[in-house]
């Protein structure tokens, strides 16, 4: 099982609605390791680079406007097959179609405001992580719960 890293964005509505903790908590409980985390206000340049694959689509301009309208949380999660695991936890892009039990299925009703973004492949993960984090902002450490209970 490959240990992978994936980029997750907690989109602006997650902060606005006060559900950042609940969403992060799901990833922690699943056993994913937070190796980088920051709050930032995306500018247009970063948003356009992040969503370059969607340029020209009808939802592109509203998406760029929305994602730059308020701060968000960016994080890198690490774990066995983290890319696929996190995508499954997020659920279908359209929250209304997302299964209950998934993050989008439990917290959203929108396609644009769909709570989280998660990298969809190892190529995307590598590219997206580099957009948001410099290597010295990503931390290697042992995740050993028992060490902290002594
Ligand atoms: P995300 O996983 O961040 O990747 C692209 C984003 O575009 C997606 O989540 C949604 O926020 C948005 N998106 C995708 N499809 C649509 C759509 N049909 N209408 C509006 N927004 C969309």
């Amino acid at each position: 099982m490959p240990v992978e890293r994936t980029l997750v964005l907690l989109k602006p509505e997650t902060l606005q609605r006060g559900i950042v903790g609940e969403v992060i908590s799901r990833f922690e409980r699943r056993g994913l390791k937070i190796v980088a985390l920051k709050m930032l206000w995306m500018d247009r340049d970063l948003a356009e680079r992040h969503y370059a694959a969607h340029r020209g689509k009808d939802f592109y301009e509203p998406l760029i406007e929305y994602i730059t309208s308020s701060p968000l949380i960016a994080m890198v999660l690490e774990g066995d097959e983290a890319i696929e695991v996190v995508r499954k936890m997020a659920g279908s892009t359209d929250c209304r179609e997302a299964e209950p039990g998934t993050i989008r299925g439990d917290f959203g009703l929108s396609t644009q405001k769909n709570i989280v973004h998660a990298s969809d492949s190892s190529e995307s993960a590598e590219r997206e992580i580099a957009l948001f984090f410099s290597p010295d902002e990503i931390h290697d450490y042992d995740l050993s719960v028992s060490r902290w209970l002594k």
Side-chain angles (χ1 to χ4, degrees), residues 17-73:
R17 292 173 52 191
I19 55 172
V20 166
E22 286 191 69
V23 176
I24 292 178
S25 199
R26 289 187 175 215
F27 295 126
E28 290 184 301
R29 291 199 321 246
R30 188 71 192 264
L32 291 154
K33 180 159 89 171
I34 300 169
V35 294
L37 189 148
K38 67 166 86 159
M39 180 173 168
L40 76 155
W41 198 321
M42 281 174 83
D43 61 16
R44 191 168 177 104
D45 178 61
L46 178 57
E48 286 187 348
R49 286 194 284 152
H50 176 64
Y51 283 126
H54 297 295
R55 189 187 291 266
K57 295 181 183 166
D58 55 351
F59 61 82
Y60 177 76
E61 199 51 46
L63 174 65
I64 297 295
E65 261 175 48
Y66 175 63
I67 208 77
T68 57
S69 67
S70 186
L72 48 68
I73 306 287

Side-chain angles (χ1 to χ4, degrees), residues 9 11 13 50-51 54 57-60 62-64 66-67 87 90-91 93-94 96 104 110-120 128:
L9 301 179
K11 297 189 181 184
E13 74 274 19
H50 176 64
Y51 283 126
H54 297 295
K57 295 181 183 166
D58 55 351
F59 61 82
Y60 177 76
L63 174 65
I64 297 295
Y66 175 63
I67 208 77
R87 294 279 295 181
T93 302
D94 180 346
R96 285 159 298 201
R104 290 168 177 156
S110 165
T111 307
Q112 182 193 66
K113 297 183 182 68
N114 59 357
I115 322 293
V116 290
H117 165 84
S119 306
D120 64 5
E128 293 174 358

Side-chain angles (χ1 to χ4, degrees), residues 3-10 24 27-28 32-40 73-79 82-83 86 117-119 124-135 137-141 143:
V3 174
E4 295 174 338
R5 286 179 172 176
T6 187
L7 180 86
V8 173
L9 301 179
L10 307 188
I24 292 178
F27 295 126
E28 290 184 301
L32 291 154
K33 180 159 89 171
I34 300 169
V35 294
L37 189 148
K38 67 166 86 159
M39 180 173 168
L40 76 155
I73 306 287
M75 54 202 287
V76 179
L77 297 177
E78 182 183 283
I83 296 167
V86 171
H117 165 84
S119 306
S124 305
E126 198 177 330
R127 188 182 72 80
E128 293 174 358
I129 288 168
L131 277 178
F132 286 85
F133 294 96
S134 59
E137 292 176 314
I138 303 172
H139 301 283
D140 268 321
Y141 62 97
L143 196 57

